């Protein structure tokens, strides 16, 4: 899937979720490409994107009001945070990603799983369950790193020299 197709997929899934949860008015979208193509400011040259465009135009009449204006990234903290999470995560495992089972233009559902993977998960899993990576070097590195942390009430804290525990966010 191309980046442009992924943007269309995200908008289509977002619109379907909005309908599912009772939204009646849509005014904003963070994809400049999708907004400008849906509003016919940009031409759609790729045939697959034309199919996505048509799919969006099937959904839009289900809303009482739908005007797509592009939200600049600096004004969309949630989307920016998810993008940064995805870019910063090195150790993504199958259980921590959004899984696209079928494309929206193929008229089939999307299945998603909670995106909560971050740098703390490996340490928390080790402290709770003693689970180590298979690679001996990585296992030793995790043990050394985890020695500086404590787990209290499902919250991870870093030990400081002579001071209070620092909660890891």
């Amino acid at each position: 899937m191309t980046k442009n197709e992924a943007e269309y997929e995200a908008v289509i899934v977002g619109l379907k979720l909005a309908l599912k949860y009772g939204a009646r008015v849509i005014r904003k979208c963070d994809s400049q490409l999708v907004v400008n193509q849906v509003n016919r400011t940009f031409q759609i040259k790729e045939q697959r994107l034309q199919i996505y465009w048509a799919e969006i135009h099937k959904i839009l009449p289900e809303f009482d009001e739908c005007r797509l204006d592009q939200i600049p990234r600096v004004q969309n903290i949630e989307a920016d945070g998810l993008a940064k999470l995805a870019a910063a995560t090195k150790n993504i495992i199958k259980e921590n990603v959004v899984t696209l089972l079928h494309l929206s233009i193929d008229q089939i559902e999307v299945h998603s799983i909670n995106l909560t993977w971050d740098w703390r998960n490996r340490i928390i899993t080790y402290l709770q369950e003693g689970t180590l990576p298979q690679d001996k070097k990585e296992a030793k590195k995790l043990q050394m790193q985890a020695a500086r942390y404590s787990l209290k009430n499902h919250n991870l804290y870093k030990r400081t020299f002579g001071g209070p525990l620092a909660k890891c966010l």
Side-chain angles (χ1 to χ4, degrees), residues 25-76:
V25 176
I26 298 292
R27 293 193 180 121
K28 305 282 184 193
C29 177
D30 72 345
S31 170
Q32 182 181 18
L33 171 88
V34 174
V35 167
N36 285 304
Q37 287 184 343
V38 167
N39 293 335
R40 299 178 188 210
T41 307
F42 292 174
Q43 286 184 332
I44 306 172
K45 295 179 181 174
E46 298 173 46
Q47 185 178 3
R48 291 208 27 104
L49 294 186
Q50 290 173 354
I51 298 169
Y52 280 110
W53 180 89
E55 180 65 24
I56 285 179
H57 279 275
K58 287 179 192 172
I59 300 169
L60 294 180
E62 296 183 47
F63 292 96
D64 294 339
E65 179 187 338
C66 189
R67 185 185 76 240
L68 292 184
D69 295 321
Q70 198 249 330
I71 304 170
R73 173 161 270 189
V74 294
Q75 293 177 5
N76 193 348

Side-chain angles (χ1 to χ4, degrees), residues 1-167:
M1 176 182 302
T2 67
K3 178 185 179 289
N4 293 344
E5 290 173 356
E7 287 192 18
Y8 267 98
E9 284 288 343
V11 171
I12 290 168
V13 170
L15 290 172
K16 288 179 179 179
L17 284 171
L19 282 171
K20 179 179 178 182
Y21 290 104
R24 302 304 318 149
V25 176
I26 298 292
R27 293 193 180 121
K28 305 282 184 193
C29 177
D30 72 345
S31 170
Q32 182 181 18
L33 171 88
V34 174
V35 167
N36 285 304
Q37 287 184 343
V38 167
N39 293 335
R40 299 178 188 210
T41 307
F42 292 174
Q43 286 184 332
I44 306 172
K45 295 179 181 174
E46 298 173 46
Q47 185 178 3
R48 291 208 27 104
L49 294 186
Q50 290 173 354
I51 298 169
Y52 280 110
W53 180 89
E55 180 65 24
I56 285 179
H57 279 275
K58 287 179 192 172
I59 300 169
L60 294 180
E62 296 183 47
F63 292 96
D64 294 339
E65 179 187 338
C66 189
R67 185 185 76 240
L68 292 184
D69 295 321
Q70 198 249 330
I71 304 170
R73 173 161 270 189
V74 294
Q75 293 177 5
N76 193 348
I77 295 166
E78 293 87 3
D80 193 44
L82 285 172
K84 286 179 182 176
L85 172 66
T89 304
K90 292 180 182 175
N91 299 319
I92 295 178
I93 58 174
K94 190 173 164 181
E95 292 83 26
N96 301 102
V97 297
V98 173
T99 307
L100 193 61
L101 297 177
H102 302 282
L103 301 179
S104 293
I105 59 175
D106 294 335
Q107 301 296 321
I108 304 184
E109 300 280 320
V110 173
H111 172 69
S112 66
I113 297 174
N114 194 10
L115 287 173
T116 56
W117 187 260
D118 64 25
W119 64 272
R120 299 172 296 171
N121 290 58
R122 289 181 48 208
I123 297 169
I124 291 170
T125 302
Y126 171 69
L127 291 174
Q128 284 179 331
E129 303 167 13
T131 306
L132 287 170
Q134 296 292 327
D135 180 14
K136 288 187 179 197
K137 225 178 202 181
E138 285 294 316
K140 185 70 173 168
K141 180 180 170 183
L142 178 59
Q143 286 175 317
M144 297 291 286
Q145 188 179 19
R148 296 187 293 263
Y149 294 89
S150 295
L151 196 59
K152 296 189 185 237
N153 298 326
H154 304 290
N155 292 310
L156 187 65
Y157 294 88
K158 185 171 185 178
R159 294 189 186 111
T160 59
F161 293 106
L165 293 173
K167 186 173 183 179

